[in-house]
Amino acid sequence: MKCRKCGRPAVVNMRQHKLALCGACFSDWFVEQTRKNIERYEMFDPGDRVLVAVSGGKDSLALWDVLLKLGYEVEGVYIDLGIEGGGYSARSRCRVEAFAESRGVPIAIVDLKAAYGKSVPDMARERRGRTYCSLCGLVKRHEMNRVAYEGGFAALATGHNLDDETATLLQNTLRWEMGYLARQAPVLPSIHPRFARKVKPLCRMTERETASYAIVRNIDYIYDECPHATRATSIFHKELLNRLETRSRGAKLSFYLNFLRARESFKVPEVSLDICKRCGQPTAAPEICAFCRLWEGSEG
Ligand code: AMP
Ligand code: ZN
């Protein structure tokens, strides 16, 4: 098969776009698609400072690479949660640090245990009535938001891709979680001056496309999924959607885009926010936010 743009041998064939490209043309295409997506959803402007949350996986490192290529002023943040399972956090952190060094770009590392005295596994062992994944999500959200606010960034970008977004969408639709559905979008505007604006520039790119981009660009990323089993549900939903995609090309993208269209008529529930007395972040909980309560032992 030949590259549609230059006629050299193609290395990536995207059936849903009826497009086969060589490595160099694919990389240009991927960057251009991301640029268009940033503009389409008005994620941020050329002069804005953007914080990209990097996990060491293909999506977030690919995103960082693309944003640098597009000339944005972008810094990275990595949250070291201390996940053991074959040194998962330590190995991811190495990838992130190596990427930052190779590009000569700044990275903020938040080492949970060094900063707060406990890692996510330490907290999970204390069984505070939260699952491992919910603890991890809570910690990541709080710390990403803190770093974005303290650094005065215009937006916080994550590497969520189309497969992530449609798997979440399927899960939320199966349960008709209207609150979650209303808050699932390529851009979540800030609802409080201390809350970062959240953006997902890769939300229309498939996992296969982001992996191909990382490979074509020689990005060394961590292949493993987080070793915690509860993520199996989202993996199962991804498999279901892949089966659907095989039967009906473009099904994932149209599921997502039709949802975004329908979502325009949803009413986003208003939440009243207090300021946490410990850390100063806005919270829907009274007085002390869920993150600060973790360290007090008063939760669960
Ligand atoms: P996940 O929730 O693990 O699927 O990750 C979704 C996105 O969150 C990734 O693409 C990253 O942008 C970000 N992310 C996940 N884990 C971390 C981490 N440990 N540190 C910083 N950002 C992260
Ligand atoms: Zn707090």
Side-chain angles (χ1 to χ4, degrees):
M1 204 178 316
K2 285 189 177 164
C3 171
R4 164 105 74 83
K5 298 240 163 91
C6 72
R8 280 180 293 186
V11 295
V12 189
N13 182 17
M14 294 169 288
R15 295 208 189 118
Q16 80 278 27
H17 300 304
K18 296 192 178 70
L19 186 63
L21 296 171
C22 72
C25 292
F26 172 73
S27 157
D28 291 347
W29 176 86
F30 190 94
V31 172
E32 182 53 18
Q33 293 299 308
T34 312
R35 189 191 64 74
K36 280 192 191 148
N37 216 27
I38 293 169
E39 273 184 23
R40 178 183 290 126
Y41 297 111
E42 300 176 341
M43 293 189 175
F44 38 82
D45 295 321
D48 285 344
R49 287 175 62 242
V50 178
L51 181 68
V52 53
V54 276
S55 63
K58 59 187 183 326
D59 307 301
S60 49
L61 287 178
L63 173 61
W64 199 0
D65 188 76
V66 172
L67 294 179
L68 290 171
K69 269 193 143 197
L70 288 171
Y72 286 105
E73 196 183 323
V74 46
E75 294 182 23
V77 59
Y78 173 74
I79 323 275
D80 187 335
L81 303 151
I83 297 171
E84 292 132 358
Y88 179 74
S89 287
R91 287 187 298 125
S92 324
R93 180 172 170 166
C94 278
R95 302 301 199 287
V96 170
E97 286 174 333
F99 181 93
E101 205 185 313
S102 71
R103 305 291 199 278
V105 287
I107 172 81
I109 303 275
V110 179
D111 185 324
L112 200 65
K113 187 146 186 160
Y116 296 96
K118 278 180 210 166
S119 65
V120 166
D122 292 340
M123 286 190 282
R125 275 190 284 270
E126 292 174 5
R127 295 178 213 276
R128 289 158 178 263
R130 275 184 184 270
T131 65
Y132 202 105
C133 295
S134 98
L135 267 174
C136 188
L138 168 62
V139 167
K140 283 195 284 197
R141 282 192 300 277
H142 186 277
E143 289 303 278
M144 285 177 196
N145 191 62
R146 179 179 64 75
V147 176
Y149 172 72
E150 289 175 2
F153 290 92
L156 169 67
T158 53
H160 293 94
N161 60 38
L162 182 64
D163 294 65
D164 298 326
E165 291 302 291
T166 48
T168 305
L169 181 55
L170 181 58
Q171 197 160 342
N172 289 336
T173 312
L174 289 172
R175 297 200 201 123
W176 286 115
E177 292 271 16
M178 291 307 284
Y180 290 153
L181 287 167
R183 282 189 294 269
Q184 191 184 346
V187 174
L188 265 191
S190 164
I191 52 163
H192 187 282
R194 289 193 63 139
F195 266 150
R197 171 185 178 81
K198 296 188 186 119
V199 299
K200 301 171 189 168
L202 303 182
C203 63
R204 289 167 74 142
M205 314 305 282
T206 64
E207 199 162 289
R208 192 169 156 263
E209 288 159 5
T210 62
S212 305
Y213 181 82
I215 293 166
V216 165
R217 295 280 297 151
N218 265 325
I219 296 172
D220 183 20
Y221 64 88
I222 182 153
Y223 294 86
D224 331 8
E225 282 279 341
C226 172
H228 289 279
T230 36
R231 290 181 62 96
T233 340
S234 77
I235 295 169
F236 176 64
H237 287 137
K238 283 184 180 177
E239 280 167 14
L240 282 178
L241 288 159
N242 281 336
R243 286 178 61 186
L244 182 66
E245 182 76 26
T246 314
R247 287 266 298 261
S248 157
R249 294 277 165 226
K252 272 190 266 192
L253 188 59
S254 85
F255 180 36
Y256 185 57
L257 296 184
N258 285 322
F259 158 68
L260 292 184
R261 222 160 286 137
R263 187 188 167 275
E264 284 167 18
S265 59
F266 289 10
K267 220 176 148 346
V268 180
E270 290 218 358
V271 274
S272 78
L273 296 170
D274 265 345
I275 288 294
C276 170
K277 291 207 162 72
R278 297 274 142 75
C279 69
Q281 272 201 27
T283 171
E287 301 205 342
I288 313 282
C289 78
F291 176 83
C292 289
R293 271 186 284 138
L294 284 179
W295 313 102
E296 286 186 336
S298 61
E299 233 202 18

